[in-house]
Amino acid sequence: MFRKTSNTAGPRTTPDTLLGADVRLKGDIVFAGALQIDGKVEGNVTARDSGSHLLVTEQGEITGTVEVADAVIQGRINGNLVSTASVELQAASHIDGDVHYKILKMTPGAAVNGKVFCQNEKPASPFDTRGGKPGAPLPRRAGQGSL
């Protein structure tokens, strides 16, 4: 998730971009690489590459739509979270909105107030799973019956 600070093997230890705890940002963020949000964002957060990683720490909060490949959420998102790969919702996380994912890890104590959608099939656009119709049901695969 984070960039290595040296050429040695091992996990990354620093994000490419850090939004500090004292930062309050109004506006959209478009990023590449790894982004860590410790502060508050009022706007959409969108990754421009398929290898993107987002960490929202316990004090971090986003009010807007989040579109990213991988996300680790410890804080709060007030809006939809759309991941083209994996989402990890840790114990203190709180999502007020829908969550779209391919792989989901949810720790006890995490909360989602919205719908949760597993994206089994690759959508035409990495962030548009419903053909531009928010709230429309996901298409069923052959052999799946109704609930």
Side-chain angles (χ1 to χ4, degrees):
M1 170 151 207
F2 298 103
R3 179 174 27 97
K4 289 189 293 186
T5 55
S6 69
N7 289 333
T8 61
R12 295 176 176 187
T13 56
T14 59
D16 295 316
T17 306
L18 171 66
L19 194 69
D22 293 329
V23 174
R24 306 292 181 262
L25 179 76
K26 289 186 179 186
D28 296 340
I29 297 175
V30 178
F31 73 98
L35 170 64
Q36 178 176 324
I37 297 179
D38 297 339
K40 309 283 188 249
V41 175
E42 291 182 35
N44 300 324
V45 177
T46 305
R48 64 175 191 224
D49 64 15
S50 61
S52 60
H53 301 280
L54 172 68
L55 170 62
V56 179
T57 63
E58 284 190 35
Q59 64 269 31
E61 182 175 342
I62 299 170
T63 300
T65 299
V66 175
E67 297 176 342
V68 65
D70 296 303
V72 176
I73 310 300
Q74 300 167 344
R76 184 176 194 96
I77 296 177
N78 302 306
N80 295 336
L81 170 59
V82 180
S83 166
T84 57
S86 66
V87 173
E88 181 177 337
L89 302 177
Q90 295 187 351
S93 66
H94 190 98
I95 311 291
D96 280 323
D98 296 343
V99 177
H100 302 258
Y101 67 92
K102 285 190 179 177
I103 299 169
L104 175 65
K105 179 179 179 183
M106 191 168 177
T107 305
V112 175
N113 293 324
K115 296 178 182 179
V116 179
F117 300 97
C118 181
Q119 299 175 350
N120 291 326
E121 299 175 13
K122 185 175 180 180
S125 166
F127 301 118
D128 184 6
T129 60
R130 293 192 169 83
K133 298 178 183 175
L138 289 173
R140 294 200 176 269
R141 289 189 281 172
Q144 287 184 325
S146 61
L147 297 175

